[in-house]
Amino acid sequence: AFNSPIVGTVEMTELCMGLIVFLGFGYTTQAQSHITVDLVTVRLAARWRERLEILTRLASLVLASLMCWQLWLVAADTVSNNLLTQVWELPVYPVAYVMASASLLVVIPLILQTIRSLATVGADRGV
């Protein structure tokens, strides 16, 4: 039993890894638990840190939106090409659509966080 590999473990690992990464990415974004390095920003004045935070959130939002859009295209492609795993010949599209849906769990919190950051800066200015 120990000398024979289990058939299909590589493809199951690959599919599950995609799910783990994208579901974890959404949770980490919502909890604002991404790793940050503040070697330079800690020396900036508060208003410049806030502006840099808004810029960073906007850049993250653009990149996450592009990633989300591309994941939906890839998921649709797995359906139209009837992609199957190599060994077990399972359809790939369910996992692809869960990953695409999970990418929305990155974009939505980024939108809300960006709005909150903009509102904070606007409130500080008295707008």
Side-chain angles (χ1 to χ4, degrees):
F2 290 108
N3 262 346
S4 56
I6 300 172
V7 177
T9 55
V10 172
E11 63 191 30
M12 286 298 108
T13 301
E14 290 171 346
L15 294 174
C16 289
M17 187 61 69
L19 293 173
I20 289 168
V21 166
F22 279 95
L23 290 170
F25 192 27
Y27 173 76
T28 304
T29 302
Q30 185 274 330
Q32 296 185 26
S33 299
H34 289 288
I35 296 171
T36 58
V37 179
D38 61 356
L39 293 173
V40 176
T41 58
V42 74
R43 299 170 203 264
L44 295 174
R47 71 175 201 191
W48 286 105
R49 277 196 310 263
E50 290 171 353
R51 290 176 182 170
L52 188 58
E53 180 180 328
I54 290 170
L55 251 169
T56 304
R57 289 192 194 280
L58 286 171
S60 298
L61 180 58
V62 167
L63 292 173
S65 297
L66 289 171
M67 178 187 65
C68 181
W69 172 52
Q70 288 298 308
L71 279 169
W72 282 100
L73 293 178
V74 168
D77 190 53
T78 62
V79 172
S80 64
N81 291 325
N82 196 28
L83 285 178
L84 304 173
T85 59
Q86 289 182 350
V87 178
W88 286 354
E89 296 184 350
L90 296 172
V92 176
Y93 77 88
V95 173
Y97 274 110
V98 169
M99 289 170 57
S101 299
S103 70
L104 287 171
L105 299 176
V106 176
V107 173
I108 293 168
L110 281 172
I111 291 170
L112 297 174
Q113 292 165 9
T114 302
I115 291 169
R116 245 182 267 126
S117 293
L118 288 168
T120 302
V121 170
D124 290 345
R125 286 189 190 164
V127 176

